[in-house]
Amino acid sequence: MEAGESIFTPKTAADTVLYKYYQDLKTKMVGAISDDEWAAVLPSGYTKNNFFEFKIINSKQVNAFAVPGGYVYFYTAILKNFQSESELLSVMSHEIGHVIKHHSRESMVKQGIMGVVIDALLGDGLGATVASLGTSVWLLSGSRENELEADEMGYIYTKKIGVSSKG
């Protein structure tokens, strides 16, 4: 987290209602995931209901993101920008799609492998720097594919629970 950011914890009755609403929507979205999809994601001892952990970060950033292990984070600023429940559920399902498809894990593995290869072949210096920049561009192109795949998963999940994809 950046300076000034912290994990949101409800402090008032209104905060508690908002947080419960957010967690209830998470449960609704997670329920849309098929058992077949879960078989490839869940570590031993987990179920759909206890795998995902959704957190809110107090921040002015307008973003949400997912990381390996079922962790999904929303910044408070993005929550304030949603015009409808449909918009929130669309972003939630998009982030769930990233987790189900292992996008973050795949990206980290690719970065690690390319780093080792560049170090082994080129060592330090200008050639390694140029190769690292090329690797970054290559990873960004895969990132775009991952975003489109997460959009598709989000569409499927919201449709399953009867939510319009127009959000």
Side-chain angles (χ1 to χ4, degrees):
M1 284 189 285
E2 294 184 22
E5 294 180 341
S6 62
I7 297 294
F8 172 86
T9 53
K11 294 181 176 114
T12 67
D15 285 351
T16 302
V17 168
L18 174 69
Y19 192 72
K20 183 178 179 337
Y21 171 72
Y22 173 77
Q23 293 299 327
D24 288 347
L25 290 178
K26 172 204 83 161
T27 302
K28 186 176 186 177
M29 280 310 325
V30 168
I33 302 166
S34 74
D35 291 337
D36 290 341
E37 290 170 306
W38 276 115
V41 174
L42 285 176
S44 176
Y46 284 92
T47 67
K48 282 200 286 191
N49 296 325
N50 70 3
F51 177 68
F52 277 99
E53 194 168 327
F54 279 55
K55 299 276 186 183
I56 300 171
I57 298 173
N58 291 311
S59 176
K60 293 179 181 178
Q61 290 191 53
V62 179
N63 202 3
F65 63 95
V67 295
Y71 297 96
V72 177
Y73 296 89
F74 277 74
Y75 291 112
T76 51
I78 196 171
L79 294 174
K80 293 175 185 175
N81 279 337
F82 290 128
Q83 301 296 311
S84 67
E85 183 176 275
S86 166
E87 290 179 358
L88 172 57
L89 288 168
S90 293
V91 174
M92 275 187 170
S93 60
H94 171 95
E95 296 305 332
I96 288 169
H98 280 305
V99 174
I100 295 295
K101 294 297 185 178
H102 304 288
H103 291 155
S104 294
R105 185 182 69 193
E106 288 173 4
S107 179
M108 288 189 294
V109 168
K110 285 178 185 176
Q111 284 176 324
I113 289 170
M114 291 309 294
V116 169
V117 169
I118 289 169
D119 284 348
L121 294 175
L122 302 174
D124 293 330
L126 182 60
T129 301
V130 170
S132 291
L133 289 172
T135 299
S136 295
V137 170
W138 173 68
L139 288 170
L140 283 174
S141 69
S143 170
R144 187 75 234 132
E145 291 170 14
N146 289 348
E147 290 302 317
L148 291 172
E149 186 174 42
D151 285 346
E152 182 181 339
M153 300 305 296
Y155 172 77
I156 291 167
Y157 297 149
T158 53
K159 187 174 179 182
K160 281 184 180 180
I161 63 168
V163 172
S164 168
S165 64
K166 292 187 180 186

